[in-house]
């Protein structure tokens, strides 16, 4: 992370340059970067490729596979209203392992969305489980986190870069570095406490248990 920092603070402008300038070449690096800057939606062609490459590289390095992924959605109007979302979830699902602790009639959801407020229909259709939060003032509205535990993690903030008022741009990192994944997972676990209503009707105790197991 040192290449994206000024002093002790992560610099959005360095992330911006890292995500747009360093990868502008068509050459494929000989050694994949464990942690890479991302600029813009994960659904763009360039970032979609980064996600799939990171998943492949992480899966090649590790035998253990998680059984589900968790996506904290930013509080952005119509986020995910693209056909790329279910395609990306399918790509992630291909890298997930089996859940041996569940029976065929009670399978753990493979993809879980954490949504502020009332979820839109396209999110219910794309994700196996949508969990709503109605008191999320403690979470930055532009925060977005994608976690495939033990494989990859992406964290972005949708905000103006080096300007007080401008169109919000997601700027962040994508990683398959164990230590960075662990740090991002701790942030996501803390945020997940604000999300309390599951669209499948499970009670809060069941939901907390499911989410805690999903982070394993």
């Amino acid at each position: 992370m040192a290449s994206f920092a000024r002093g002790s603070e992560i610099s959005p402008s360095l992330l911006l340059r890292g995500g747009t300038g360093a990868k502008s070449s068509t050459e494929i690096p000989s050694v994949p970067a464990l942690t890479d800057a991302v600029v813009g939606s994960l659904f763009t062609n360039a970032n979609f490729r980064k996600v799939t490459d990171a998943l492949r590289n992480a899966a090649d390095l590790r035998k253990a596979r998680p059984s589900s992924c968790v996506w904290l959605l930013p509080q952005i109007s119509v986020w995910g209203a693209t056909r790329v979302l279910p395609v990306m979830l399918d790509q992630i699902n291909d890298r997930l392992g089996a859940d041996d602790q569940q029976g065929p009639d009670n399978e753990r959801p493979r993809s879980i969305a954490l949504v502020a407020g009332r979820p839109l229909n396209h999110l219910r259709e794309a994700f196996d489980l949508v969990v709503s939060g109605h008191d999320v003032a403690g979470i930055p509205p532009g925060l977005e986190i994608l976690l495939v535990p033990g494989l990859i993690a992406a964290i972005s903030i949708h905000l103006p870069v080096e300007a007080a008022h401008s169109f919000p741009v997601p700027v962040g990192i994508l990683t398959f570095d164990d230590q960075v994944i662990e740090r991002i997972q701790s942030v996501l676990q803390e945020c997940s406490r604000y999300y309390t209503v599951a669209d499948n009707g499970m009670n809060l105790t069941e939901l907390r248990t499911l989410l805690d197991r999903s982070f394993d």
Side-chain angles (χ1 to χ4, degrees), residues 24-216:
S24 59
S25 171
T26 58
E27 297 180 3
I28 299 176
S30 57
V31 179
L34 289 176
T35 300
D36 200 0
V38 288
V39 175
S41 167
L42 292 178
F43 305 128
T44 65
N45 290 337
N47 288 337
F48 185 97
R49 180 177 176 180
K50 286 186 178 184
V51 171
T52 55
D53 286 349
L55 279 168
R56 184 183 65 252
N57 290 323
D60 289 343
L61 289 173
R62 302 177 178 97
K63 293 182 179 180
R65 302 291 178 87
S67 59
S68 56
C69 69
V70 183
W71 206 324
L72 174 73
L73 310 191
Q75 298 171 43
I76 304 295
S77 178
V78 300
W79 180 95
T82 169
R83 288 176 291 180
V84 179
L85 174 58
V87 175
M88 182 173 287
L89 291 174
D90 285 342
Q91 291 284 331
I92 294 172
N93 187 62
D94 289 342
R95 300 294 180 177
L96 297 178
D99 186 0
D100 297 332
Q101 301 180 20
Q102 294 281 7
D105 297 328
N106 190 29
E107 294 183 356
R108 188 192 304 190
R110 308 284 279 176
S111 57
I112 302 171
L114 304 179
V115 182
R118 184 177 179 179
L120 299 177
N121 287 335
H122 70 273
L123 299 176
R124 295 181 185 275
E125 294 172 358
F127 288 90
D128 295 328
L129 176 66
V130 176
V131 184
S132 302
H134 301 280
D135 184 14
V136 295
I139 299 178
L143 179 63
E144 176 180 358
I145 302 176
L146 167 63
L147 175 70
V148 186
L151 287 184
I152 70 165
I155 183 168
S156 296
I157 293 289
H158 296 240
L159 46 63
V161 179
E162 294 189 335
H165 302 284
S166 62
F167 190 81
V169 175
V171 179
I173 59 169
L174 171 68
T175 185
F176 60 100
D177 181 285
D178 286 335
Q179 291 184 337
V180 185
I181 291 174
E182 184 177 350
R183 174 62 181 137
I184 293 175
Q185 178 169 319
S186 68
V187 174
L188 180 56
Q189 284 182 290
E190 184 65 26
C191 291
S192 71
R193 303 298 172 182
Y194 291 88
Y195 296 84
T196 57
V197 181
D199 67 348
N200 64 357
M202 68 173 57
N203 61 43
L204 183 58
T205 300
E206 294 171 332
L207 175 59
R208 292 264 63 85
T209 300
L210 183 144
L211 288 176
D212 287 342
R213 288 181 57 202
S214 297
F215 291 124
D216 294 336

